[in-house]
Amino acid sequence: MATAKKYRLAQIVERFGGEIIGNPRTPISQVATLEHAGAQHIAFLVHGKYRKQLAGTHAGAVILGTADSALTELPRIVCDDPYLYFAKVSSLFNPPPLASPGVHRTAVVERGTRVPASASVAAGAYIGRRVKLGKGVVIGAGCYLGDGVELGAASRLNARVTIYAGCRLGERVLVHSGAVIGADGFGIAWDHDNWRKIPQIGGVAIGNDVEIGANTCIDRGALEDTVIENGVKLDNLIQIGHNVRVGAHTAIAGCTGIAGSTHIGKHCMIGGAANIVGHLDIADHVIIHAAAVVTKSIRKAGAYGGHPAEDSRSWAQHTAMLRNLDSLLERLRKIEQHLSTREKKT
């Protein structure tokens, strides 16, 4: 493995901003947690519960918010959003691995497809007819690209990604292993005593800068395309049904299921294992808590949770009531007994 490049604190701040307190020449070679950092690591503090770890850390430097800037004597970068700043610094030290351009001898590229000289196609990959590949694409081992697929410049498919015919992916898309894009949606009609399949003739259109997690499935549309807009981030093991539309820069955590023809707005955040039934509209800037079940459209920005999902304040109140239900029932029994005794005396 190549030796990681070192940066001094001053060079990091020159790139990303922030204020240095302490020695600006402090050398940094990698990021790490407060607990496990060494002398050439930079760590970060976001949550107050880790302040004890800050006191005992061996990090060479730390990233802090303004409110915590006086909690250590270590060299430090003070900024408005330590977690975002850490993400930028981590990307600096951990860029994506470089792939060597070229087509492996065991890969299959069908007639009518041109592979750019800057592209990398790994062992066992299959690329169908009339596929359009942008500059610098990376196609991992065992990937399958059906006829007419489009893959934009600088996009990367990790091993064993399957993209069905006619699907279109934008630039700088990252797809993790096992993802399936463009399989048939769950379209069936009851025909007296059996199910009749409805042909799914739409496609999948994915924008730029999208990330798709491992084993996530995005179904093709029944008649029109399923659409994933620019900047969407999808975790592992997500199911997106046919004709769903996910708005730009929405983030969805793992094991979430979204039924067909639901439209999700821009800049939404959906927690893990949430379930959203079909044919709903979710407004922009909506937060859906983990394991929530959404059965009705959400027309207003805000946070929602529960089963069925409701606004977070009502959900918290109702959850508290359920937790106290046993004591409330006991109090009610005592009141009824007291009233019954008074009635008998009367």
Side-chain angles (χ1 to χ4, degrees):
M1 181 179 294
T3 303
K5 184 176 180 180
K6 294 182 181 180
Y7 292 87
R8 301 189 184 278
L9 281 188
Q11 294 174 301
I12 294 173
V13 168
E14 185 178 353
R15 283 174 177 257
F16 304 126
E19 176 191 358
I20 297 176
I21 300 178
N23 183 5
R25 296 180 61 80
T26 302
I28 302 297
S29 62
Q30 188 53 277
V31 296
T33 62
L34 289 167
E35 184 178 7
H36 296 108
Q40 292 201 354
H41 291 144
I42 188 167
F44 70 102
L45 174 69
V46 174
H47 200 287
K49 71 178 183 179
Y50 295 110
R51 286 173 180 163
K52 290 182 179 180
Q53 292 185 9
L54 175 64
T57 188
H58 297 292
V62 291
I63 302 167
L64 300 166
T66 304
D68 296 324
S69 61
L71 294 180
T72 181
E73 294 299 319
L74 289 170
R76 52 208 182 272
I77 297 174
V78 181
C79 59
D80 293 332
D81 189 338
Y83 191 64
L84 174 59
Y85 201 101
F86 160 75
K88 295 177 180 179
V89 174
S90 184
S91 295
L92 176 65
F93 286 108
N94 303 281
L98 295 176
S100 300
V103 180
H104 193 274
R105 60 183 178 80
T106 63
V108 175
V109 180
E110 297 287 7
R111 297 176 61 181
T113 293
R114 188 184 71 83
V115 179
S118 57
S120 174
V121 181
Y126 173 86
I127 302 176
R129 296 168 295 179
R130 303 181 306 281
V131 172
K132 296 181 180 179
L133 301 176
K135 293 181 180 180
V137 300
V138 177
I139 299 173
C143 287
Y144 173 91
L145 280 68
D147 294 347
V149 164
E150 297 180 14
L151 185 61
S155 290
R156 178 183 290 261
L157 309 181
N158 286 304
R160 300 184 305 281
V161 169
T162 298
I163 305 178
Y164 281 61
C167 295
R168 307 183 305 281
L169 284 69
E171 298 180 355
R172 299 174 301 280
V173 175
L174 174 59
V175 187
H176 291 280
S177 294
V180 177
I181 298 171
D184 281 356
F186 195 53
I188 53 177
W190 183 248
D191 185 6
H192 301 293
D193 59 355
N194 64 88
W195 292 104
R196 181 178 294 276
K197 182 177 177 60
I198 301 172
Q200 305 291 287
I201 62 174
V204 176
I206 294 174
N208 300 329
D209 303 299
V210 171
E211 182 167 353
I212 299 168
N215 294 321
T216 283
C217 295
I218 304 173
D219 292 346
R220 70 192 311 110
L223 296 172
E224 300 176 352
D225 291 343
T226 300
V227 178
I228 311 296
E229 295 184 2
N230 293 341
V232 169
K233 307 300 179 185
L234 303 177
D235 197 1
N236 302 333
L237 294 165
I238 291 171
Q239 163 63 27
I240 295 180
H242 56 189
N243 298 107
V244 167
R245 188 179 194 99
V246 180
H249 307 292
T250 284
I252 304 176
C255 297
T256 290
I258 303 171
S261 299
T262 283
H263 288 186
I264 296 173
K266 305 177 191 298
H267 300 281
C268 294
M269 292 187 289
I270 300 175
N275 288 283
I276 303 174
V277 305
H279 301 273
L280 302 185
D281 291 312
I282 309 296
D284 297 344
H285 299 283
V286 165
I287 298 172
I288 297 173
H289 293 286
V293 178
V294 181
T295 60
K296 297 180 180 179
S297 291
I298 297 175
R299 309 288 187 185
K300 183 179 178 182
Y304 299 80
H307 183 177
E310 56 187 337
D311 69 271
S312 290
R313 185 173 181 179
S314 298
W315 174 42
Q317 290 173 341
H318 294 159
T319 300
M321 290 173 62
L322 286 172
R323 287 175 178 170
N324 294 317
L325 188 59
D326 287 343
S327 61
L328 290 172
L329 287 173
E330 183 60 28
R331 289 172 60 187
L332 181 59
R333 289 191 192 98
K334 290 180 179 179
I335 291 170
E336 289 176 337
Q337 289 173 0
H338 178 71
L339 292 173
S340 178
T341 302
R342 288 186 60 182
E343 287 176 357
K344 288 178 181 178
K345 287 181 179 180
T346 302

